[in-house]
Amino acid sequence: MEVFGDSVEAPLDQPWVPIEIADTPFLAKVHFGDTAYQLLLSDLHCVWHEEADAKTIGERSQELNRRLKAPVSSFFRQLCVVARPKLEAGVSEGSTAVFSYERTPERLSLRVKSELAGVPFYWEFRCTPATVTIVCRHLVHPLLTMCQVLQRQAQDLMGLLGRKDAEILDYQENGATLTRGRLETGVFREQDFKELFLSEVCKAQYTVGDETVEQGGLKEASVTKLSITIKEALWY
């Protein structure tokens, strides 16, 4: 019997895939083994996880498809055919499978309806909130790593801009004239750039779609506090 274990590491070490279920965007990671699978789903508000082995797949297949009698391998093969394109690549074109979901604080149920040998075939991924370890490994740590890389690149670019301004100033002080107007750019002020960047980031944190989460002075106070926190974490 295939078992992945509790680490949820190698099988799911792959990029998140953006998918859409019932007009709702999710991020997904899935790994299908021989007769087992692991699934991670997130809407960036919560992360859900399920790991199912052959025994679970067999029992759930019989529970959801009482009219069908087949080996676990046949049920699993059908599940891979209908669910893999959607969950691994976000592709649903050409598939007759219908995906829907139901979400509660305790569980996210992802339902799939298709056909097997002309008979309706139903499946339900029953995900529960992921542990802190799983969330950190597959969401928090990659995001922090990406932020660090982007931060280093931003610092390098700010250094280049500073050197560019110094070089242009040196030319001008030695009597040189810029023959192309586009070369005469404004002086890059690093502190102004940081303040503008933090302002834009913090505003985005308190907006969901077109709906502002906080209003008036409370929002301003929250943005100011978040700005200080980000500044301390990233710039200093």
Side-chain angles (χ1 to χ4, degrees):
M1 180 176 64
E2 187 175 9
V3 178
F4 293 121
D6 298 327
S7 61
V8 196
E9 294 182 357
L12 288 176
D13 279 345
Q14 53 192 287
W16 289 91
V17 175
I19 66 172
E20 192 172 277
I21 302 169
D23 297 324
T24 302
F26 287 91
L27 294 175
K29 278 190 178 192
V30 67
H31 173 78
F32 289 97
D34 294 332
T35 52
Y37 68 78
Q38 287 190 73
L39 174 65
L40 280 175
L41 283 172
S42 176
D43 60 358
L44 297 185
H45 292 285
C46 186
V47 179
W48 294 273
H49 171 245
E50 185 188 26
E51 179 177 341
D53 57 15
K55 182 175 182 293
T56 300
I57 292 170
E59 293 174 349
R60 194 175 304 169
S61 297
Q62 291 300 320
E63 172 193 340
L64 299 173
N65 304 277
R66 298 187 182 280
R67 294 173 57 191
L68 290 173
K69 300 296 180 183
V72 173
S73 57
S74 297
F75 285 125
F76 186 72
R77 186 162 51 250
Q78 174 67 9
L79 177 61
C80 290
V81 168
V82 299
R84 241 178 158 154
K86 181 79 167 181
L87 298 178
E88 286 188 344
V91 176
S92 56
E93 290 82 358
S95 173
T96 58
V98 177
F99 288 78
S100 61
Y101 74 93
E102 181 181 353
R103 177 170 45 195
T104 68
E106 294 77 27
R107 189 164 79 176
L108 174 72
S109 297
L110 174 58
R111 300 188 177 100
V112 186
K113 179 183 178 181
S114 63
E115 286 190 358
L116 177 60
V119 178
F121 173 77
Y122 301 93
W123 184 258
E124 186 176 301
F125 295 94
R126 296 170 180 172
C127 304
T128 55
T131 64
V132 173
T133 299
I134 292 176
V135 173
C136 287
R137 176 174 176 81
H138 293 281
L139 197 61
V140 177
H141 290 171
L143 286 174
L144 289 177
T145 300
M146 188 189 313
C147 285
Q148 290 176 342
V149 172
L150 292 174
Q151 176 60 19
R152 285 196 296 269
Q153 292 176 342
Q155 293 286 5
D156 291 342
L157 288 173
M158 286 189 288
L160 286 173
L161 289 171
R163 290 193 293 274
K164 180 268 298 180
D165 289 337
E167 188 172 347
I168 291 177
L169 180 61
D170 183 60
Y171 288 153
Q172 291 174 332
E173 289 177 345
N174 285 282
T177 302
L178 295 174
T179 57
R180 297 181 181 179
R182 63 184 177 84
L183 296 177
E184 193 169 356
T185 58
V187 176
F188 175 73
R189 294 179 173 82
E190 183 175 330
Q191 190 60 36
D192 291 346
F193 168 77
K194 290 179 179 179
E195 294 297 335
L196 178 61
F197 173 82
L198 291 172
S199 174
E200 293 299 322
V201 169
C202 293
K203 286 178 183 177
Q205 293 296 318
Y206 286 92
T207 302
V208 181
D210 295 326
E211 180 179 343
T212 302
V213 177
E214 296 196 44
Q215 303 292 336
L218 179 58
K219 179 188 174 185
E220 291 181 6
S222 299
V223 168
T224 301
K225 183 176 180 180
L226 180 60
S227 175
I228 294 172
T229 301
I230 296 175
K231 185 185 296 185
E232 291 174 348
L234 293 180
W235 302 110
Y236 299 100

